[in-house]
Amino acid sequence: MRKEVVLITGANGEIGHGLCTHLGIREDVLILALDIEELDEELIPYCHRFVQGDILDKMLLGRLVAEFEIRTIYHLASILSTRAEYNPEAAHRVNVEGTLNLLRLAIEQAEWQGRPVKFIYPSSIAAYGLPDLETKNRAGKVKEHEWLTPKTMYGCNKLYCEHLGRYYARHYRQLGAEGAAIKIDFRGLRFPGLISAFTTPAGGTSDYGPEMLHHAAQNIPYACFVRPDSILPFMVMPDTIKALVDLWAAPQENLDNLVYNVTSFSITAQQIAQMVKEAFPEAEISFEPDMRRQKIVDSWPGDLNDDAAKEDWDWSPDYDAMRAFEAYLVPNISERYQK
Ligand code: SER
């Protein structure tokens, strides 16, 4: 008998940590974790099985199909926006071909199980691309169908993979001899910048938010790479996990979209610095904008319209900026670095 598991790719990453620790304590969930790096020791107790390997390795994915009954895939593995700009073609391979391999795996599993496999996909504010700062400031809360002209390789990859998800969910092999009776249940979220108290992101462009805080808590000076007035939507890890799990649980007939915006609070870099300094008065934060990374931030929406998520699956974040800092970030980060 194959074991019924939830596959989490990129298990070691920022969202992976949050999701493994959240789902891993549930009696009814067995996690099959996949990551290119060795699994962090602290995640081992939460995972039923860990496989170290590359999402581009089709043989490896084939072995997983043969060995496990995969009911849900959280496909988190990805190369983030800043890192992707240093090697765009390599990022495309991981972000697009890797996702295609996972979609293919989902289809194989669905056909074999005779029922759709749930495919939960984190997309991003990077899927948007506003032409300039003036337009960004005028645009307000951006809706799902607006400004879909990304300026980064990562944003292009995310947007295209949303399209692939729709294709595999609704149109896969539409002219094939038997068609594809069973498709996949694709559900995507466009996340804002994310902040965790327990991990720092690697290679993103919204990283100045979490970096400011984690540096301050360790007493390390930080030079923020965007202007103080730069504004982005952000969300803390507990709300990120809530969004993933709530979207997973929503009845499919309620979902009019395949991809939903979600957000918690919009905040400027200056406001983050102020809140960090209130918590860590010794913090040394300066602003040394890198105009190239600044341009990327200026092309991302300052706020997201998440009404569709609210209407279709009752999305509502638990943390505004104040509560995020006071009840989640500051206590957990302080404890973490005191150890
Ligand atoms: N946080 C991501 C990045 O900065 C955006 O999804 O690349």
Side-chain angles (χ1 to χ4, degrees), residues 244-312:
L244 285 164
V245 172
D246 285 0
L247 180 60
W248 173 88
Q252 199 185 21
E253 59 273 20
N254 295 357
L255 304 179
D256 288 334
N257 289 10
L258 281 158
V259 179
Y260 290 90
N261 281 346
V262 281
T263 188
S264 298
F265 52 88
S266 283
I267 191 166
T268 64
Q270 177 74 58
Q271 288 167 325
I272 298 179
Q274 270 158 9
M275 295 182 92
V276 169
K277 278 193 181 158
E278 272 165 36
F280 303 100
E282 311 283 291
E284 279 179 53
I285 301 170
S286 57
F287 287 87
E288 293 174 21
D290 167 344
M291 290 329 286
R292 293 173 311 170
R293 289 179 98 183
Q294 180 73 56
K295 257 190 158 166
I296 294 177
V297 170
D298 289 346
S299 78
W300 290 351
D303 203 351
L304 294 173
N305 178 313
D306 58 0
D307 288 351
K310 287 177 177 148
E311 275 160 34
D312 289 2

Side-chain angles (χ1 to χ4, degrees), residues 191-202:
F191 279 124
L194 304 178
I195 315 183
S196 166
F198 303 101
T199 48
T200 41

Side-chain angles (χ1 to χ4, degrees), residues 199-252:
T199 48
T200 41
T205 314
S206 59
D207 292 7
Y208 60 88
E211 282 174 359
M212 247 190 254
L213 191 56
H214 283 265
H215 277 70
Q218 296 171 84
N219 252 316
I220 304 172
Y222 184 69
C224 177
F225 58 80
V226 294
R227 287 188 320 266
D229 66 333
S230 308
I231 187 160
L232 281 185
F234 278 94
M235 177 182 276
V236 286
M237 195 48 64
D239 276 331
T240 309
I241 302 306
K242 183 183 187 201
L244 285 164
V245 172
D246 285 0
L247 180 60
W248 173 88
Q252 199 185 21

Side-chain angles (χ1 to χ4, degrees), residues 47-62:
C47 298
H48 168 67
R49 260 289 285 283
F50 169 65
V51 175
Q52 185 172 4
D54 192 335
I55 54 170
L56 294 174
D57 181 349
K58 290 186 188 160
M59 297 270 281
L60 172 79
L61 298 182

Side-chain angles (χ1 to χ4, degrees), residues 60-292:
L60 172 79
L61 298 182
R63 285 205 302 279
L64 300 185
V65 171
E67 199 179 333
F68 295 97
E69 180 172 336
I70 299 167
R71 298 283 304 121
T72 296
I73 299 171
Y74 288 93
H75 174 38
L76 312 178
S78 168
I79 298 204
L80 293 184
S81 57
T82 290
R83 189 170 287 171
E85 290 310 308
Y86 290 101
N87 195 341
E89 291 79 18
H92 185 279
R93 268 193 300 282
V94 173
N95 292 345
V96 175
E97 289 172 36
T99 301
L100 194 69
N101 289 345
L102 267 306
L103 287 165
R104 175 76 223 147
L105 180 153
I107 282 278
E108 276 173 33
Q109 280 278 321
E111 282 169 356
W112 175 75
Q113 294 173 30
R115 54 187 173 180
V117 164
K118 279 189 187 172
F119 196 102
I120 313 296
Y121 182 66
S123 184
S124 161
I125 40 167
Y128 298 106
L130 292 120
D132 49 52
L133 193 54
E134 200 196 334
T135 314
K136 167 171 172 159
N137 292 337
R138 253 190 298 115
K141 288 176 184 278
V142 170
K143 292 192 181 133
E144 279 88 350
H145 64 276
E146 296 175 321
W147 303 110
L148 295 174
T149 42
K151 290 188 181 175
T152 59
M153 177 52 105
Y154 171 76
C156 293
N157 297 162
K158 286 289 178 189
L159 185 58
Y160 175 62
C161 287
E162 294 176 7
H163 288 304
L164 282 180
R166 180 166 40 78
Y167 173 76
Y168 275 82
R170 294 187 178 159
H171 311 293
Y172 182 67
R173 253 197 228 146
Q174 53 196 303
L175 300 182
E178 340 70 86
I182 310 282
K183 301 191 178 69
I184 63 167
D185 183 353
F186 180 89
R187 304 175 179 204
L189 288 159
R190 288 204 192 125
F191 279 124
L194 304 178
I195 315 183
S196 166
F198 303 101
T199 48
T200 41
T205 314
S206 59
D207 292 7
Y208 60 88
E211 282 174 359
M212 247 190 254
L213 191 56
H214 283 265
H215 277 70
Q218 296 171 84
N219 252 316
I220 304 172
Y222 184 69
C224 177
F225 58 80
V226 294
R227 287 188 320 266
D229 66 333
S230 308
I231 187 160
L232 281 185
F234 278 94
M235 177 182 276
V236 286
M237 195 48 64
D239 276 331
T240 309
I241 302 306
K242 183 183 187 201
L244 285 164
V245 172
D246 285 0
L247 180 60
W248 173 88
Q252 199 185 21
E253 59 273 20
N254 295 357
L255 304 179
D256 288 334
N257 289 10
L258 281 158
V259 179
Y260 290 90
N261 281 346
V262 281
T263 188
S264 298
F265 52 88
S266 283
I267 191 166
T268 64
Q270 177 74 58
Q271 288 167 325
I272 298 179
Q274 270 158 9
M275 295 182 92
V276 169
K277 278 193 181 158
E278 272 165 36
F280 303 100
E282 311 283 291
E284 279 179 53
I285 301 170
S286 57
F287 287 87
E288 293 174 21
D290 167 344
M291 290 329 286
R292 293 173 311 170

